[in-house]
Amino acid sequence: MRRVGIIGASYTKFGERFDVNMQELAWEAFSDAIKEANIEKDAIDYFVLSNMGGWSSESLPAVIVSEGLGINPKGSVRVEAACASGSSAVKLAHDIVASGQANVVLALGIEKMRESPTKTVVEYIGRAGNFMWEFENFGLTFPGYYALYATAYMSKYSVKEEDLCEVAVKNHYYGSFNEKAQFRNKITVEKCMSSPYVAWPLKLYDCSPITDGAAAVLIASEDFIKEHKSETAWISGIGYATGTANLSKRDDFTGLEAAKRAALQAYARAGLDPEKPASQLDLAEVHDCFTIAEVMAYEDLGFAKKGEGIKLVKEKQTYKGGLIPVNLDGGLKAKGHPIGATGESMIAELYHQLLGKVKGERQTDIKKGRALAHNVGGTGHYAYVTVLSLEKGGVA
Amino acid sequence: MSDETEKLEEAAEESKKKLGSPIVTDQKTLSSLWFDQRELNVRYLVSVEKIKKFYEGISAGKVMATKCAKCGEIYFPPQSYCSKCGSDSMDWIELSGTGELLTYTVINVKPQSFSHYPDYVVGIARMPQGVNVLAWIDGDTGKLKVGMKVRLEVKKRDPEGYLTYWIKPE
């Protein structure tokens, strides 16, 4: 297997993007990534599009986007791993390059969720579990699924709703410095606490929004990188796992088994000590689709002991300057969560952070040269953990 | 149709009269949007042929699961084959007795197709047979607690008027 690196990445302004159609939105992310990588688009050998869709009008988004980008007749495919679709696209692109079949692959995620009314979008994501046994009769929603985890977690570890709000406060704080974030407002625990319930005990400010957005990552082989002297972050480990479709088939509702497995796999491949991963990383992007999800992520990734995730955020250990800064782009919570593009946007953020290219307040010190993206699809249905490094190494 | 869509349709009709095209303006971003003139209604036909006995059980007031005759693995939702050992010889067993409530939530913001219900409570219960059941919780939902004792019951779901199973606090 060949070494594989990222040579350019970008994400669009996230939010309600009624000003562009799907092709125009994809073009924004793509043209910035190509410019950054300093390559001609002819260099792209293959294209992986991540998109969940249903709420948007196009049934074949990969060909719509490919035509718009002007990269036909290069091969393409659309992948889906719910909210982890983006990371699954990065993994597929990585594997194609690593195998020697291609030198440059584009992974581009896109979602136009706002083409449908809110209740329809809520319905589509609610169906993203087991349709017959969890949606058809019981009308679960995405916040509802995570609320089942929140209730169990809060009961077991005596956590209060105020505690969960601390995660939203942090992510809105960093979102306020990110010009591409959907929400640029700082919030307080009080503001979070006074927001209405979406799925008790989760409130509006515990939840990521419905978002339009696109993100592109250009993935290349070591040979190509050498030849083009590209600014590179290497993919040094990818871990992945799948959880049960039915939430009822799980034993524990205080953590995501698939995410734990994905993390251990990624650490082994990247050569990280699973006993102290936080101390070997400069920063992490974690999947905070809901505040409870970020708290569980800390524990599933081994940044905190079981039941102590809340302590980490309350003690500001996941702010800049703490044990490990998490979601310096505002996270899904404030940056926004365009399902199929979230994974690539996490990778784009880490790429820029590692290379010191993030403007202003959000850039963290890069001392170890390693960063991690934790991207969960559905409610722990899919999990991908990707480790990027400035040094070559690992067996991704 | 949601209120949101109804408003858009009115605006699109207005625009068709004025401009000839169904173009609406998003009030927040002031962007022009084409209001889709084609509506898609979706209703799926899902096979339950191999788990017909589950619905016979429901009809008799029982919640049934399947148990592999070879390795003993229990499945809920019921499954006609064993993913674990590969056998397709399955027995039907009733999920009964006192279970434990593992977790619950209240769905406040509802999907389109559930928007006619008041807020509903969903829970997951661990049954003595060793499998979990996810369902709406019936009865006094104000006093719910993780770990409390619950049982299953079969009751009609209105306004659709079909039988389904519920979790009921004991």
Side-chain angles (χ1 to χ4, degrees):
Chain A
M1 298 282 266
R2 305 193 294 175
R3 297 278 179 230
V4 176
I6 292 159
I7 58 168
S10 178
Y11 58 93
T12 65
K13 164 81 181 162
F14 282 3
E16 293 184 319
R17 295 300 309 272
F18 287 128
D19 57 322
V20 284
N21 67 20
M22 184 178 268
Q23 286 185 330
E24 292 159 344
L25 186 59
W27 180 256
E28 284 182 21
F30 177 72
S31 52
D32 282 353
I34 286 281
K35 219 176 288 165
E36 182 173 48
N38 196 23
I39 61 169
E40 295 298 324
K41 62 184 179 187
D42 293 346
I44 295 167
D45 299 311
Y46 193 76
F47 166 40
V48 183
L49 179 101
S50 50
N51 169 267
M52 184 159 153
W55 37 64
S56 50
S57 51
E58 296 296 351
S59 285
L60 300 181
V63 296
I64 291 292
V65 170
S66 183
E67 178 189 286
L69 301 182
I71 55 175
N72 285 354
K74 303 292 171 64
S76 65
V77 69
R78 169 220 204 153
V79 294
E80 176 278 309
C83 321
S85 298
S87 289
S88 77
V90 169
K91 172 178 158 42
L92 180 56
H94 165 275
D95 292 355
I96 294 168
V97 174
S99 74
Q101 289 181 52
N103 270 320
V104 180
V105 176
L106 166 68
L108 188 147
I110 194 159
E111 217 70 69
K112 283 285 285 173
M113 302 178 75
R114 276 289 169 201
E115 284 191 4
S116 285
T118 302
K119 282 183 178 178
T120 307
V121 176
V122 170
E123 173 119 12
Y124 266 112
I125 320 185
R127 289 172 178 231
N130 181 297
F131 173 74
M132 267 296 274
W133 297 87
E134 295 190 341
F135 185 84
E136 171 75 2
N137 291 317
F138 309 117
L140 269 155
T141 60
F142 192 34
Y145 288 120
Y146 268 97
L148 290 170
Y149 276 84
T151 302
Y153 187 96
M154 291 164 77
S155 165
K156 185 163 180 186
Y157 298 112
S158 304
V159 164
K160 299 194 297 279
E161 290 177 38
E162 287 89 334
D163 298 331
L164 292 181
C165 281
E166 297 279 0
V167 175
V169 170
K170 172 179 72 71
N171 292 347
H172 270 262
Y173 172 75
Y174 286 113
S176 74
F177 302 111
N178 184 356
E179 58 191 18
K180 290 177 172 174
Q182 183 161 0
F183 299 133
R184 307 283 315 271
N185 59 322
K186 293 183 183 123
I187 62 160
T188 58
V189 169
E190 292 70 34
K191 179 156 176 116
C192 172
M193 284 300 291
S194 64
S195 64
Y197 285 110
V198 170
W200 179 92
L202 300 179
K203 294 169 293 300
L204 187 64
Y205 275 103
D206 287 298
C207 305
S208 56
I210 295 171
T211 308
D212 299 325
V217 177
L218 286 159
I219 290 164
S221 66
E222 185 173 5
D223 296 342
F224 185 94
I225 287 165
K226 261 190 201 156
E227 199 187 320
H228 288 79
K229 300 185 177 66
S230 312
E231 282 190 300
T232 304
W234 300 91
I235 297 176
S236 59
I238 306 178
Y240 35 88
T242 307
T244 64
N246 281 282
L247 252 62
S248 65
K249 290 197 172 184
R250 300 180 188 177
D251 297 326
D252 173 57
F253 295 93
T254 61
L256 298 174
E257 197 51 40
K260 282 179 223 168
R261 282 174 185 270
L264 289 177
Q265 252 184 36
Y267 295 156
R269 290 179 174 142
L272 298 186
D273 180 355
E275 295 300 317
K276 42 177 183 175
S279 64
Q280 302 159 85
L281 298 160
D282 287 311
L283 75 155
E285 285 278 299
V286 312
H287 199 86
D288 62 320
C289 47
F290 301 96
T291 51
I292 181 66
E294 179 158 329
V295 174
M296 292 195 299
Y298 295 163
E299 298 171 12
D300 294 342
L301 290 166
F303 297 171
K305 284 193 193 126
K306 199 81 200 134
E308 294 184 2
I310 284 285
K311 219 168 91 184
L312 216 55
V313 65
K314 280 181 112 171
E315 292 175 354
K316 297 215 172 340
Q317 293 295 338
T318 49
Y319 279 75
K320 250 173 72 176
L323 172 69
I324 178 159
V326 172
N327 292 341
L328 296 181
D329 54 1
L332 283 60
K333 176 69 204 76
K335 185 179 70 174
H337 183 24
I339 308 279
T342 288
E344 287 97 343
S345 79
M346 289 175 158
I347 299 293
E349 170 71 11
L350 296 181
Y351 174 72
H352 293 138
Q353 285 277 358
L354 284 172
L355 294 173
K357 293 168 95 172
V358 178
K359 283 184 205 118
E361 181 63 26
R362 295 196 302 108
Q363 176 69 51
T364 192
D365 292 341
I366 301 301
K367 291 175 183 157
K368 299 143 198 162
R370 269 189 302 265
L372 170 152
H374 157 280
N375 190 194
V376 174
T379 315
H381 292 107
Y382 307 87
Y384 285 83
V385 173
T386 308
V387 179
L388 302 187
S389 173
L390 291 174
E391 299 288 324
K392 259 182 289 177
V395 278
Chain B
M1 202 187 285
S2 68
D3 299 348
E4 209 177 329
T5 310
E6 253 170 56
K7 267 186 211 155
L8 287 167
E9 186 163 38
E10 276 171 34
E13 288 306 313
E14 199 67 17
S15 171
K16 279 196 271 187
K17 276 180 213 153
K18 271 193 212 153
L19 192 68
S21 299
I23 308 290
V24 298
T25 306
D26 173 57
Q27 292 310 310
K28 226 192 271 176
T29 62
L30 301 180
S31 298
S32 295
L33 301 164
W34 173 273
F35 182 76
D36 194 351
Q37 298 297 290
R38 315 288 160 207
E39 191 173 353
L40 178 68
N41 280 309
V42 185
R43 249 179 209 223
Y44 300 108
L45 291 168
V46 181
S47 176
V48 292
E49 172 61 24
K50 295 197 172 184
I51 53 160
K52 263 190 290 193
K53 281 206 172 135
F54 174 80
Y55 297 97
E56 289 165 21
I58 285 288
S59 185
K62 293 176 181 172
V63 181
M64 308 289 281
T66 53
K67 183 176 180 179
C68 176
K70 205 170 156 195
C71 78
E73 186 76 3
I74 299 175
Y75 291 92
F76 190 84
Q79 214 171 282
S80 62
Y81 62 94
C82 182
S83 307
K84 199 175 166 194
C85 79
S87 164
D88 54 8
S89 173
M90 306 295 276
D91 297 323
W92 286 87
I93 60 163
E94 185 183 356
L95 296 182
S96 58
T98 302
E100 179 196 343
L101 186 64
L102 298 181
T103 186
Y104 62 97
T105 177
V106 185
I107 306 298
N108 311 105
V109 174
K110 283 154 269 187
Q112 180 62 38
S113 65
F114 279 76
S115 54
H116 57 293
Y117 293 107
D119 292 0
Y120 42 89
V121 185
V122 185
I124 298 177
R126 182 98 176 143
M127 297 308 291
Q129 290 73 23
V131 288
N132 299 339
V133 175
L134 180 146
W136 280 14
I137 302 179
D138 187 32
D140 191 354
T141 51
K143 289 179 185 154
L144 295 179
K145 252 195 170 149
V146 169
M148 76 188 298
K149 288 178 177 169
V150 294
R151 60 189 167 81
L152 296 180
E153 73 167 5
V154 172
K155 220 180 72 172
K156 210 184 245 181
R157 171 73 62 76
D158 286 320
E160 289 83 2
Y162 71 99
L163 288 174
T164 189
Y165 48 98
W166 305 66
I167 293 169
K168 198 166 171 89
E170 278 207 327

